[in-house]
Amino acid sequence: MTALPLAAQHCQPRKGKEHALDEAAVAALLPLVHGWKLTEQRDALVKDFRFENFHHTLGFINAVGFMANHEDHHPDIEAGYGHCKLHWSTHDVGGLSLNDFICAARVDALLAR
């Protein structure tokens, strides 16, 4: 992994099990993405974001979609009035890759501005 902060990095093509993160790498990266949790299966990052209303929720979804398209790495999205839950995983590796942590950090950076 590079010394650059996660949010400053960009996703790379990661296909195959050799790009899947092991438990030690996940444990090292998880504290760097505040508020993100592992799913029960430990194969995805998840975080539920809360907003005042649907308008703000939809704006967030559009910003995440723009970033995800730019990175060519896309989350599963669940949304409703005032909230949006994101799930990041890398299907091509069958679990978590560095791309998931990069995108989680980039999402958090969207809200930090």
Side-chain angles (χ1 to χ4, degrees):
M1 188 169 86
T2 174
L4 280 175
L6 283 171
Q9 295 180 50
H10 293 283
C11 293
Q12 302 295 320
R14 301 184 200 278
K15 296 181 187 253
K17 297 285 185 192
E18 67 272 11
H19 294 288
L21 297 174
D22 62 22
E23 288 289 324
V26 170
L29 289 166
L30 195 56
L32 302 179
V33 288
H34 303 288
W36 290 86
K37 306 287 184 205
L38 295 176
T39 59
E40 189 174 307
Q41 299 82 7
R42 303 184 66 78
D43 62 352
L45 290 172
V46 63
K47 187 173 182 179
D48 196 9
F49 295 87
R50 300 292 172 165
F51 301 97
E52 291 180 26
N53 52 46
F54 188 74
H55 176 77
H56 288 128
T57 303
L58 192 56
F60 174 74
I61 291 168
N62 286 330
V64 168
F66 183 84
M67 181 276 299
N69 280 334
H70 184 262
E71 294 300 319
D72 196 24
H73 191 64
H74 304 91
D76 291 332
I77 300 173
E78 298 175 40
Y81 187 91
H83 85 96
C84 176
K85 185 183 272 188
L86 299 178
H87 298 257
W88 291 103
S89 66
T90 305
H91 303 288
D92 288 336
V93 305
L96 290 166
S97 76
L98 184 58
N99 289 349
D100 302 308
F101 287 89
I102 290 169
C103 286
R106 284 169 112 17
V107 166
D108 288 342
L110 290 172
L111 296 172
R113 296 182 177 156

